[in-house]
Amino acid sequence: MTTSVAVLGATGSIGTSTLDVIAHHPDRFRASVLVAHRSVDALVALCQRFRPDLAIIADASLGAELARRLVAADVRCDVGAGSDAVIAAVSGPLCDTVVAAIVGAAGLESTLAAARAGKRLLLANKESIVMAGPLLLDALREGGGVLIPVDSEHNAIFQCLPGGRPDLNKAGVRRLILTASGGPFRGRTRAELGSITPDQACAHPKWSMGRKISVDSATLMNKGLEVIEAHYLFGAPADAIDVVVHPQSLVHSMVEYLDGSVLAQLGNPDMRTAIAHALAWPERIEAGVTPLDLPRSGPLAFEPADTDTFRCLALAFEALRAGGDATAILNAANEVAVDAFLAGTLPFLAIAEVVEHVLAELPPEPVVDVQTLVARDAVARQAARKVLHRAYC
């Protein structure tokens, strides 16, 4: 039986890696729904190759253009536009599995809809769970679906736990250990980071990523968001989650047990491994990834994360401990600060300062529903812009 897969964010790095795995297994998986934000050209090209039942452009103003281009390309499929079309697609019968890879807060409502609909949810949108972890867990319980993380670190933890997402106390888990590459500025002092430019921050030593996530990697905020994600995914308190810097990026994360055992998941840094695992779980399938050659990989090194220099990681832990919607406030303030840095109006080190100001200004409130959360997200963004205007403009 072929599994029908909706790929949200089909033109991004996770989306294209997912489609590559699907292409390796045409008898097993089919890309039935493809969703892109604004990239009409790229979406049309994917539709020509994968022939989905439905193509959606999230920017509603581009719906007519997408329809016209698909007709010109002789692609026969239904066309949708706007966020409501995405939500309807993930809630309906066209897909069994949803790969949630829309970047940022824009992916929240479609992720929740897929969870409520009982889909097999492959989560690559960390902002959804960072913003609305309690709501996502409630939606999963309501829909009875399965969530499998696609972020390499969380997929590694999933693989190292018995049954994927057990009760950690009953499983004898002492702590979850997330690995971090350290980003492009590993080992530098705060004094050396004062004049960092956007191009320098986006020059990751190992991966080519979007500019926003590249900056988050450089500040270690990306790892902070992953700490929050691990808390909700696996039910681990903040004190049972640790971060270690591992520059080789071959150990993707580890789980330490009460008996002293530490289980690690290793592999070449290629997202197709985690995607293939999540698509086929509990089975294993070929992912098209080069096997890891340990004798030729060289020594593996580990070092503590420098939270004094990279304050964003410490702030993420603080927001997690504060509870309520503090993690959503953190995420919103960070998005505004990173945009300002990329625009050249905010120094690199001031990203953490903006986030810290907003967290102090907006004490956490309970997470009640999506509408309240979206409103608080807007309040946090406005507070961040005021901090920028007051201190850096």
Side-chain angles (χ1 to χ4, degrees), residues 146-233:
V146 176
L147 187 154
I148 304 175
V150 170
D151 262 356
S152 59
E153 294 82 0
H154 304 95
N155 185 265
I157 290 171
F158 186 92
Q159 294 189 49
C160 292
L161 290 170
R165 296 177 64 207
D167 182 309
L168 297 190
N169 290 326
K170 292 180 180 177
V173 172
R174 177 177 284 132
R175 62 177 176 149
L176 309 180
I177 306 169
L178 298 171
T179 55
S181 70
F185 308 132
R186 179 177 65 89
R188 297 204 195 181
T189 64
R190 287 184 64 81
E192 294 172 316
L193 296 177
S195 59
I196 291 298
T197 67
D199 285 344
Q200 289 173 317
C202 292
H204 196 283
K206 288 189 177 291
W207 300 293
S208 175
M209 305 178 289
R211 288 173 73 80
K212 192 270 181 184
I213 194 172
S214 294
V215 175
D216 282 350
S217 178
T219 64
L220 293 195
M221 178 59 89
N222 192 53
K223 200 56 51 178
L225 299 179
E226 289 175 6
V227 167
I228 297 165
E229 190 177 359
H231 162 73
Y232 288 116
L233 283 174

Side-chain angles (χ1 to χ4, degrees), residues 355-381:
V355 174
E356 190 164 22
H357 276 296
V358 175
L359 284 172
E361 183 178 329
L362 300 175
E365 295 182 0
V367 176
V368 178
D369 53 36
V370 172
Q371 292 74 22
T372 304
L373 202 57
V374 169
R376 285 281 285 175
D377 177 90
V379 169
R381 291 173 191 273

